[in-house]
Amino acid sequence: MPHRAPGAPGRSRQQILSGKPIRYYRPKGSPDIRYLIDEGFQAFNAGRLSEACHIFADKMLTPERDTTIGLTVAGALTPAGLGGCIIELMDRGLIDFVISTGANLYHDLHYALNFTLHRGTPFLDDVELYEEGIIRIYDVLFPATVLLETDKYIREFLVRAKLEGAMSTSELHYRLGQDLLQHNPACVEYSVVAKAAECGVPIYTSSPGDSSIGMNIAYHELMNGGTFMIDPNKDVNEVCAIILNGKHNGCVILGGGSPKNFYLQGQPTLWEVYGIPKGGNDFFIQFTTDQAVFGGLSGATPSEAVSWGKVNPGVLPDTVVAYCDSTIAFPLFCEYAVGSTHSRRPRRELVHKRDALVADLVRQARAARDKPVDKEPAEIDRHR
Ligand SMILES: NC(=O)c1ccc[n+]([C@@H]2O[C@H](COP(=O)([O-])OP(=O)(O)OC[C@H]3O[C@@H](n4cnc5c(N)ncnc54)[C@H](O)[C@@H]3O)[C@@H](O)[C@H]2O)c1
């Protein structure tokens, strides 16, 4: 038998939820972990993780590179307690903006509202869980009432905040974060959405309808006659404007999914659509379990991204993919960064600069559009 048999019959709801609460782990910069990564992680994916730590700590974070850093988040990371790593990076100014699946932001709200997710086992009877009203994300377990209460909070927030008309997801998440801080100020230490609002870090969602946040926004429109809606065009333009403004640009990609492309499409949008020859990404770090051989974007390599103008051709040595479970790789990576020489940077607080950055994008895009065409499209210079 490869696995234990599913669920022991007759386990009570209390027993199923008796595992320790999942808490957000905050990396401290452990010298032992740095030693392990420098001296012990030498080859294969350990070697790639070590390389990723060095690219981030020794290049991306140095003041002379002045890199605008985007973090993309896919996979069930906040349910697994990794929100604390994101909070620590934001607090230290080590990431400047975030693109996340809605699921990770929705599940972050459970922590913000002091609901408990429990450690458990994947070897349970899901029919029994359904009958007991328990939700399972692999081995993370929590009562279905957590979903209902979180949904209720989102709906009440939408009414309370009186949001009207079309808005970017960065604005929605900023307002949501401010509401959480008002509701429960202590949650700034254990909510990504609340911490981002405090630090001025914009958070984007590449597929806003694909989460319980989107589901409750849809309810608000249908049942309350709310006019509030997400405008993905604003997100596309804000992300582009942030990248356009970056002296250097770099990303840390957790998993893959739509957040990965939403970040990487920034440079092609600039050269291909707006005609602005910004050039591609300067640094690229990805932790993923996805493979390149199936042709999907989630597993596509930095080298493939060069052909699209997403990554600068000359910087392949500053790109790395570590084929790892991010729940293992990311906390180690953050420990390394927090313990490194440049473990604090001035926060860019891009949330407060979005309008000015988009205005600059418009100015440059108009100049590019109105410039006399002197080259064939195929010869367009995509580089700086
Ligand atoms: N209630 C909600 O709002 C809602 C909506 C969607 C999903 N969910 C839950 O949230 C979880 C996360 O969903 P999601 O939409 O963020 O992304 P996902 O789980 O669909 O993952 C997307 C990408 O991340 C990669 N990935 C996933 N786990 C990884 C890991 N541990 N290490 C490295 N790469 C990994 C995948 O291969 C894929 O490329 C789901 O498992 C689901 O249970 C909740």
Side-chain angles (χ1 to χ4, degrees):
M1 287 263 289
H3 300 299
R4 276 193 280 151
R11 295 224 298 170
S12 73
R13 176 188 168 86
Q14 225 178 0
Q15 278 173 319
I16 296 169
L17 292 175
S18 64
K20 282 173 78 170
I22 293 181
R23 304 266 186 235
Y24 272 179
Y25 171 80
R26 292 285 285 268
K28 304 261 181 304
S30 155
D32 288 343
I33 291 179
R34 284 179 62 82
Y35 181 77
L36 171 71
I37 290 171
D38 281 338
E39 303 301 326
F41 285 7
Q42 302 171 74
F44 310 145
N45 286 298
R48 299 297 75 68
L49 171 55
S50 177
E51 227 178 280
C53 291
H54 282 282
I55 291 172
F56 192 65
D58 304 340
K59 294 183 177 174
M60 291 167 74
L61 296 183
T62 57
E64 57 277 15
R65 294 298 213 303
D66 190 15
T67 307
T68 299
I69 301 176
L71 175 77
T72 82
V73 187
L77 301 187
T78 55
L82 271 79
C85 291
I86 302 172
I87 289 174
E88 192 65 40
L89 296 187
M90 290 192 293
D91 186 66
R92 294 169 168 271
L94 304 186
I95 49 175
D96 300 304
F97 66 106
V98 173
I99 301 170
S100 171
T101 58
N104 276 301
L105 304 175
Y106 173 69
H107 292 306
D108 176 72
L109 300 182
H110 309 327
Y111 294 85
L113 300 172
N114 287 333
F115 297 121
T116 306
L117 282 64
H118 295 268
R119 299 188 199 182
T121 164
F123 308 113
L124 290 166
D125 179 341
D126 285 298
V127 175
E128 192 186 326
L129 293 185
Y130 177 72
E131 281 162 3
E132 290 289 345
I134 295 172
I135 305 290
R136 178 170 83 83
I137 303 177
Y138 194 59
D139 58 353
V140 174
L141 303 168
F142 52 97
T145 49
V146 168
L147 301 179
L148 299 178
E149 289 297 319
T150 307
D151 291 5
K152 183 164 167 275
Y153 164 78
I154 296 169
R155 288 197 299 272
E156 288 172 356
F157 156 73
L158 290 169
V159 171
R160 191 164 52 239
K162 297 189 174 68
L163 305 183
E164 304 279 348
M167 197 178 271
S168 65
T169 59
S170 62
E171 186 63 21
L172 166 70
H173 298 137
Y174 180 58
R175 303 273 191 100
L176 190 56
Q178 285 180 314
D179 191 78
L180 289 170
L181 290 171
Q182 222 170 7
H183 186 84
N184 173 18
C187 80
V188 73
E189 297 303 326
Y190 48 86
S191 163
V192 172
V193 176
K195 188 70 180 181
E198 187 199 66
C199 297
V201 172
I203 302 182
Y204 296 91
T205 296
S206 42
S207 46
D210 176 25
S211 83
S212 300
I213 297 180
M215 285 146 61
N216 283 291
I217 293 173
Y219 173 100
H220 184 63
E221 180 180 288
L222 204 63
M223 303 302 285
N224 300 339
T227 61
F228 168 66
M229 58 166 60
I230 298 296
D231 181 349
N233 297 342
K234 286 187 190 286
D235 285 10
V236 170
N237 286 329
E238 284 184 18
V239 170
C240 253
I242 290 171
I243 289 171
L244 177 62
N245 179 257
K247 183 177 167 201
H248 290 100
N249 286 287
C251 54
V252 178
I253 297 169
L254 305 179
S258 63
K260 175 181 178 182
N261 185 66
F262 205 75
Y263 174 84
L264 289 175
Q265 72 176 11
Q267 278 95 345
T269 310
L270 288 172
W271 73 261
E272 179 187 332
V273 179
Y274 286 117
I276 302 171
K278 168 70 177 170
N281 222 36
D282 302 290
F283 303 100
F284 176 123
I285 292 169
Q286 184 177 10
F287 302 121
T288 190
T289 48
D290 294 307
Q291 300 291 315
V293 290
F294 303 110
L297 189 272
S298 294
T301 58
S303 149
E304 184 175 325
V306 169
S307 72
W308 286 81
K310 292 173 173 175
V311 170
N312 277 335
V315 304
L316 281 176
D318 293 331
T319 66
V320 65
V321 180
Y323 294 94
C324 308
D325 180 336
S326 345
T327 60
I328 301 168
F330 190 51
L332 293 169
F333 176 81
C334 291
E335 282 289 349
Y336 197 93
V338 169
S340 71
T341 311
H342 307 292
S343 66
R344 271 196 195 278
R345 303 192 308 169
R347 291 179 191 157
R348 282 179 214 271
E349 306 209 351
L350 294 173
V351 136
H352 308 299
K353 298 176 183 158
R354 289 169 298 160
D355 288 348
L357 294 176
V358 171
D360 190 48
L361 169 65
V362 171
R363 193 185 51 75
Q364 293 202 43
R366 284 195 179 135
R369 186 193 59 191
D370 298 341
K371 202 172 135 194
V373 179
D374 55 6
K375 287 181 179 178
E376 290 301 311
E379 294 169 19
I380 284 173
D381 180 8
R382 293 186 286 173
H383 315 299
R384 266 178 284 216

